[in-house]
Amino acid sequence: MRVGVLTGGGDCPGLNAVIRAVVRTGAAEHGFEFIGFRDGWRGPLEGDTMVLDVQAVRGILPQGGTILGSSRTNPLGEAASAGGMSGLERIKDNLSSLGVDALIAIGGEDTLGVASRLHAAGVNVVGVPKTIDNDLGATDFTFGFDTAVNIAMEAIDRLHTTAESHHRTLVVEVMGRHAGWIALHAGLAGGANVILIPERPFDIGAVCTYIEHRFQDHYAPIVVVAEGAIPAEGTMALATGEIDAFGHVRLGGIGQQIADEIEKRTGKEARTAVLGHIQRGGTPTAYDRVLATRFGLQAIDAAHEGDFGKMVALRGTEIIRVPLAEATDELKVVPVERYAEAEVFFG
Ligand code: F6P
């Protein structure tokens, strides 16, 4: 069997661990051949490939990023239509001329949404979930999340000391487009004064009260905010960014807006640190390497068994398979009761 592999969407620590597990197991256990597609869906769309054999995956387990490259190319978008063929038709055409029998697509909701459409159009696809945001509904955890949380926690630990020395508020902006998992976990682990997440529109007045309270205790406040957090209606104006190929707003900047407002309202200095892509970079934690490896092993088993149209997922400690169509149905957001656990420590 000839298996194509691609990584789409934002890069994420652990992608290389999946690729390595897929290629090593597929070659050793089943004698599969592999072909790498470059830069997410752009690869199969344009027939852009690279060699992907056991030699190519040597030494990549601890490497961040993806040796295949990634992009947010959307074959379902109008821009992908060319020569009278839709994006999906071009992909099918390229897969068949390259002799690809099955495709392993590693990505988040957008990449897997395309994978699901391709499967419905008759392509043999297996999906592997990835996102540092941990917001895919069908799996308990995605690899990359643990690494991102640890990076953010370490940053908060370091920012505590400068906040103390200068008696200032430090606002730490972390990733999390629709879900506040990174903010919640990193904020809890780092002892944040308040955590702001997209699921719970915040009241800047209440945030300032927490801050004043923390200063009264002679302890400087750290505010952890997810990039997708939004103010409660009518409480604070918000600037927005441009839109990408999948229709998402490019986020980033809420931290600075909050710091400006805090400074204005409390009269005390407030500064911002935007962690941005630092959270997606560098070597994956042991947890993420193991989860990514187990996903890779299970994805190859699914391909070997001809169990296509599925995404591998973590349920408890087991790796299971769920239909691709269901995998991207619902986002996993932070439940009210999980946020309430963190609220105990606010102020
Ligand atoms: O989905 C993962 C993620 O890191 C989000 O948290 C973030 O909003 C987005 O990707 C940023 O993507 P890009 O690097 O393409 O700007």
Side-chain angles (χ1 to χ4, degrees), residues 196-207 228-238 254 258 265:
L196 308 177
I197 61 173
E199 295 86 338
R200 172 75 75 94
F202 64 88
D203 175 353
I204 191 70
V207 171
I230 42 164
E233 220 181 307
T235 55
M236 190 181 136
L238 198 62
I254 182 74
I258 289 174
R265 290 177 184 236

Side-chain angles (χ1 to χ4, degrees), residues 21 42 46 61 78 83 87 92 104 116 122 178 182 201 204 208 227 232 239 259 265 281 291 294 302 318 326:
R42 191 189 67 73
E46 297 175 7
L61 176 63
E78 274 177 53
K92 282 184 76 171
I104 295 185
S116 179
H178 308 291
I182 297 177
I204 191 70
C208 289
E227 60 179 354
R265 290 177 184 236
L291 180 59
R294 294 183 70 206
E318 299 302 310
E326 279 171 32

Side-chain angles (χ1 to χ4, degrees), residues 72 131-133 175-177 227 250-251 277 280:
R72 293 196 186 275
T131 166
I132 62 162
D133 292 355
M175 280 187 165
R177 184 188 286 279
E227 60 179 354
R250 185 165 296 164
L251 296 170
H277 296 99
R280 292 212 315 234

Side-chain angles (χ1 to χ4, degrees), residues 65-104:
T66 160
I67 59 164
L68 296 174
S70 192
S71 75
R72 293 196 186 275
T73 301
N74 182 4
L76 307 176
E78 274 177 53
S81 309
M85 282 169 109
S86 71
L88 288 189
E89 284 163 348
R90 281 167 67 192
I91 290 179
K92 282 184 76 171
D93 203 45
N94 283 332
L95 292 180
S96 107
S97 42
L98 289 163
V100 173
D101 305 295
L103 190 61
I104 295 185

